[in-house]
Amino acid sequence: MSEPMPTPSGVYSWTLKVPILMYHYISEPPPDADVYRVDLSVAPESFRQQMAYLKDNGYTPIDFYDLSTAIVAQTELPEKPILLTFDDGYLDSYEVVYPVFQEYGFKGTFFIITEFVDSEREGYMTWPMIEEMAQAGQRIESHSRTHPDLATKSRDGLIWEILGAQETLAAHVGYRPRYFCYPGGTYNEETIQVLQELDYWGAVTTENGSWHGFNDRFEWRRVRMRNTTTIEEFQRLIDLEGTISGKKPG
């Protein structure tokens, strides 16, 4: 529980290009879905096609712990590293994503809204599902207790949302989550300060980008997967041209 955050051991740390893909729903939107629900939905067939492309083209899913260690200690990552993240803890993460990952030997990071699980909200995973996935090697991290706009919260409110979710998840998955996903992508400097005080090691935003370093570890950017993302666009979005792939520069 008191394991220290990875920090640079030498003069400098790496800045690495690793696509962090941001998924939400892996399902067909219902007929009455609004524009946001549609945009955040990736069809199961499209998702499988994307994962098959990763498998067939030598990509290796890693987690945030792997990424942090590579950045600060210059440890070697796989030739084509990629991070697969899923926001909110929807039921299709268990019913669609998890079986595909088991088939391909992939791991992902699932950001959970803990009170939605506690209240057994319809359309979200249950604790037994989340625990099973964690035991199988999937990473379970924090997305707050209730998914509020954290930029509007007082310090006490931030601690309730951030520490509360961290402690709840730790009780269910057997380790203390160190990475956070800002609900709706909103946060401020006080949010980052509280995360640091509560021994989080990093956080992700909804902003677009693929380069990550130590100094911006609480504002790591991601690549949004949309309902309209074609396999051709997917290939372009995960292109690793320009990265040193976790290897020491020549």
Side-chain angles (χ1 to χ4, degrees):
M1 296 294 284
S2 59
E3 184 180 358
M5 180 184 70
T7 54
S9 55
V11 176
Y12 68 96
S13 62
W14 273 351
T15 298
L16 297 178
K17 185 180 184 182
V18 178
I20 302 175
L21 304 191
M22 174 175 55
Y23 290 95
H24 289 81
Y25 298 95
I26 309 299
S27 61
E28 295 285 358
D32 61 347
D34 62 23
V35 63
Y36 302 106
R37 173 68 165 86
V38 171
D39 183 55
L40 295 176
S41 301
V42 173
E45 308 80 47
S46 297
F47 176 74
R48 175 174 280 278
Q49 185 182 25
Q50 292 169 3
M51 296 304 103
Y53 180 86
L54 296 180
K55 186 71 171 179
D56 293 344
N57 288 275
Y59 285 83
T60 302
I62 64 171
D63 61 32
F64 287 101
Y65 301 85
D66 301 323
L67 179 60
S68 289
T69 303
I71 287 171
V72 304
Q74 300 168 26
T75 56
E76 187 168 310
L77 289 174
E79 187 67 28
K80 292 182 177 181
I82 196 162
L83 246 155
L84 307 172
T85 68
F86 301 82
D87 291 11
D88 303 326
Y90 297 117
L91 183 59
D92 53 52
S93 286
Y94 181 81
E95 294 182 339
V96 179
V97 177
Y98 181 44
V100 173
F101 281 5
Q102 288 180 303
E103 178 181 346
Y104 288 157
F106 283 2
K107 65 178 174 181
T109 297
F110 299 84
F111 290 109
I112 304 300
I113 307 165
T114 56
E115 290 220 346
F116 288 11
V117 187
D118 284 341
S119 63
E120 299 182 350
R121 181 175 292 200
E122 184 178 0
Y124 290 82
M125 291 190 286
T126 65
W127 285 122
M129 293 173 185
I130 293 168
E131 291 163 5
E132 177 187 341
M133 291 170 62
Q135 291 167 5
Q138 304 302 320
R139 282 295 188 181
I140 308 300
E141 302 292 335
S142 177
H143 200 22
S144 78
R145 289 182 71 162
T146 67
H147 202 272
D149 179 348
L150 294 177
T152 67
K153 292 291 181 181
S154 66
R155 176 178 169 81
D156 286 347
L158 288 171
I159 293 172
W160 187 83
E161 287 284 351
I162 295 170
L163 177 60
Q166 187 182 47
E167 291 181 334
T168 298
L169 288 169
H172 284 280
V173 304
Y175 62 89
R176 185 175 184 177
R178 300 292 190 168
Y179 296 91
F180 191 80
C181 175
Y182 299 112
T186 62
Y187 62 98
N188 55 22
E189 288 301 318
E190 187 171 23
T191 311
I192 294 175
Q193 178 64 35
V194 169
L195 286 169
Q196 292 175 315
E197 291 176 13
L198 296 176
D199 290 331
Y200 279 86
W201 293 352
V204 293
T205 72
T206 57
E207 296 298 313
N208 185 65
S210 293
W211 286 93
H212 316 290
F214 179 74
N215 290 338
D216 66 346
R217 65 193 179 277
F218 285 97
E219 295 181 292
W220 280 344
R221 298 176 173 226
R222 293 186 289 174
V223 180
R224 184 185 294 270
M225 296 291 104
R226 300 181 181 278
N227 180 267
T228 56
T229 303
T230 64
I231 192 64
E232 292 77 19
E233 184 180 6
F234 180 80
Q235 295 169 24
R236 179 182 63 79
L237 290 170
I238 65 172
D239 180 22
L240 285 165
E241 182 181 356
T243 182
I244 54 177
S245 299
K247 295 178 173 55
K248 291 181 180 296

